[in-house]
Amino acid sequence: LAGAPADHKYWKGLLQFSSESQAADVAKALVERRAVACAQAAPSGALAVKTVARCKPMVEESAGQAVSWSPIGGNEGYLKWLVEECVAGSE
């Protein structure tokens, strides 16, 4: 979504850790805290997360590092699911 405004609602974050195990631990914590709807850890230590704007600060704080954010889109059902799963920032 090139040209999406900074206040876009839906986001994908990319992070890099030293191992898949470390990425998986962070992924598990973020999903359990409901800061992200889903997270994928790769053998390289890369971690991809999908979340909503209000939860981005929690992702950055929990990860302890900068996150490379990209706006995302999707069908109505998917975007509704993201909002329903990412409730940590609404408490």
Side-chain angles (χ1 to χ4, degrees):
L1 293 173
D7 63 350
H8 186 72
K9 192 170 183 176
Y10 313 102
W11 294 89
K12 175 181 179 178
L14 299 176
L15 304 99
Q16 184 63 52
F17 294 94
S18 59
S19 67
E20 181 179 17
S21 174
Q22 186 181 18
D25 289 345
V26 172
K28 183 176 186 226
L30 290 171
V31 170
E32 286 176 351
R33 291 177 71 188
R34 297 190 70 182
V36 302
C38 61
Q40 298 83 33
S44 65
L47 177 62
V49 297
K50 307 277 179 54
T51 193
V52 294
R54 71 176 178 265
C55 290
K56 285 170 59 180
M58 181 179 280
V59 173
E60 293 169 344
E61 179 183 313
S62 296
Q65 63 174 275
V67 179
S68 175
W69 293 108
S70 301
I72 59 171
N75 65 43
E76 183 179 339
Y78 175 72
L79 298 177
K80 181 180 179 203
W81 173 75
L82 277 178
V83 170
E84 291 170 351
E85 290 300 312
C86 301
V87 297
S90 62
E91 297 171 348

